[in-house]
Amino acid sequence: MGTPAFPNLGKHCSVQNCRLVDFLPFTCDCCHQVFCLDHRSYSRHQCPKSNKNDVTVAICPLCAKGVRLIPEEDPNITWESHVNIECDPSNYEKATKKRKCPVPRCKEMLTFSNTIKCRDCSIDHCLKHRFGPDHQCPGPKKPDAASQFLSFFNGSKKDVSEQAPVASSSKWSTSFLKAAQSFKATAEAGMARLSNEFNQALSTNGSTTNQSGSTSGQVEVCPICNLRFSTVGALVDHVQRIHEKNGVMKATLDVCPKCSKGFRDPVSLVEHVEKEHRGVSKA
C-alpha cells in the first residue's frame, strides 16, 4: 500500500467484504470509519449511528412550540425538561390563532403569501389594503432629515410642511426650518454688505483717478493692487478672478511701486524688480 515516496498513501475500506485500497478514502461523520467510493453512504456500509445527524421535532400541545429530540437522549427526559423550563401555555393562543387584517370590516386572513408590511407604520396588512390610503396610514414615525433639507433649499417650503410627520416630530422640523432660515438671512446680509463696500470703493477710486488724470487713458483703478483698467467690466472681472474666491476677498497682493503690477508673493515682486527695473524699486 502506498509508494516509496508516500508510504501512507491510501487506506483499506472498512467493509469486510470489500477491503479495497482507496487512495482518496472517505471518513464517515457518524461512525468515523474509512470507506471507499462505493461504500461511503450510510446505507451502503449500514452505519449503526446514521441517525446521529437526524433532526426530529415534536410540537408541544400546551404551548405549540417545537421541541427538538436529542438522538442519544431519552425522549421522556427531553419532554420533561421542556415542560419544566420552556413551556408557556399562554403562547398557544398566539401561535394557533390566525391573524386578520387590522383594517376595520376586513376579514382577510394574513398568511405567508398574503401579508405585506407597510413601510411607514410597519404594520402587516393584506394585499387589498397594502397601500397607505387604503388602511389610513398615519405616516412615518420619524422625519426624513435629508428630504426636508433638500426641499428647503429648493424653495419648496410648502411641500416640506405638508410632508411633516405626526405631532411627535413636528417640533423638531419647525426648529430646523427656523435655524435654516436665520442662516440664509445672515448669509444674504453679509453678501449685500460686502457688495456695497466694494461698489463704494470702486466709485471712490474711479472719481479720484478721473480728477488726477492719466497719460495712458486708463480711468479705472483696482482698490487692492492699484492696477488701472479702461472699463469697469474689465476691473470687475479682474477683482473676481484675482481677489475673490467664493464671494470672499483674498489677501492683498504685493504691488510693484514702479509699474503698479501685482504679485502673489514678495519673491515674485523682487524678481520682477530686478529683471524689469534693474533692481531699482522707486522712481
Side-chain angles (χ1 to χ4, degrees):
M1 184 174 62
T3 60
F6 302 96
N8 297 326
L9 183 64
K11 293 183 180 180
H12 289 281
C13 180
S14 298
V15 178
Q16 295 297 330
N17 297 331
C18 180
R19 303 298 297 174
L20 179 66
V21 178
D22 197 331
F23 293 99
L24 295 174
F26 296 87
T27 302
C28 180
D29 57 349
C30 293
C31 61
H32 302 289
Q33 295 184 3
V34 179
F35 299 96
C36 62
L37 179 64
D38 295 336
H39 298 95
R40 69 183 187 278
S41 61
Y42 298 147
S43 58
R44 293 301 303 272
H45 67 266
Q46 298 179 359
C47 183
K49 300 181 180 180
S50 59
N51 60 346
K52 180 179 179 180
N53 296 329
D54 293 345
V55 178
T56 304
V57 178
I59 304 300
C60 177
L62 301 178
C63 62
K65 291 184 179 180
V67 181
R68 181 174 179 176
L69 301 180
I70 302 175
E72 298 179 356
E73 188 178 41
D74 188 2
N76 295 325
I77 298 177
T78 305
W79 176 260
E80 185 178 357
S81 175
H82 165 72
V83 172
N84 295 332
I85 299 176
E86 300 177 355
C87 188
D88 184 11
S90 62
N91 186 60
Y92 182 82
E93 184 178 358
K94 297 179 182 179
T96 57
K97 184 179 180 181
K98 295 183 179 180
R99 297 186 302 162
K100 293 183 179 181
C101 181
V103 177
R105 296 185 299 276
C106 181
K107 299 181 180 181
E108 189 72 20
M109 297 294 179
L110 296 181
T111 60
F112 176 77
S113 60
N114 190 31
T115 303
I116 298 294
K117 184 182 292 294
C118 181
R119 297 180 179 179
D120 296 333
C121 60
S122 302
I123 299 177
D124 295 335
H125 296 85
C126 64
L127 294 177
K128 183 179 179 181
H129 301 97
R130 63 185 182 275
F131 298 111
D134 295 334
H135 62 266
Q136 298 179 357
C137 183
K141 296 181 179 179
K142 295 183 179 180
D144 190 358
S147 63
Q148 290 187 357
F149 186 80
L150 294 176
S151 300
F152 171 75
F153 281 98
N154 290 332
S156 57
K157 300 179 181 179
K158 184 176 180 180
D159 296 340
V160 172
S161 61
E162 292 177 357
Q163 295 178 0
V166 292
S168 60
S169 59
S170 60
K171 184 181 296 184
W172 182 90
S173 60
T174 303
S175 60
F176 174 79
L177 291 177
K178 289 182 179 179
Q181 290 175 359
S182 61
F183 173 77
K184 186 176 181 181
T186 304
E188 291 178 353
M191 291 299 296
R193 184 174 63 256
L194 181 62
S195 178
N196 293 333
E197 294 178 356
F198 178 71
N199 292 333
Q200 292 177 2
L202 285 179
S203 61
T204 303
N205 288 280
S207 61
T208 304
T209 307
N210 290 333
Q211 293 175 1
S212 61
S214 59
T215 57
S216 60
Q218 297 176 345
V219 295
E220 301 297 334
V221 180
C222 178
I224 299 176
C225 62
N226 294 328
L227 285 179
R228 294 179 174 84
F229 299 90
S230 59
T231 61
V232 179
L235 174 60
V236 173
D237 181 58
H238 162 75
V239 172
Q240 292 179 350
R241 181 167 50 86
I242 301 300
H243 303 296
E244 286 190 2
K245 183 177 181 183
N246 297 329
V248 180
M249 299 297 292
K250 295 182 181 179
T252 305
L253 301 181
D254 294 323
V255 183
C256 177
K258 185 70 176 178
C259 60
S260 299
K261 187 176 181 180
F263 296 89
R264 296 181 180 273
D265 54 351
V267 178
S268 301
L269 174 60
V270 173
E271 294 178 354
H272 165 74
V273 172
E274 292 178 353
K275 182 178 179 181
E276 301 294 337
H277 307 294
R278 299 181 181 179
V280 181
S281 61
K282 295 183 179 179

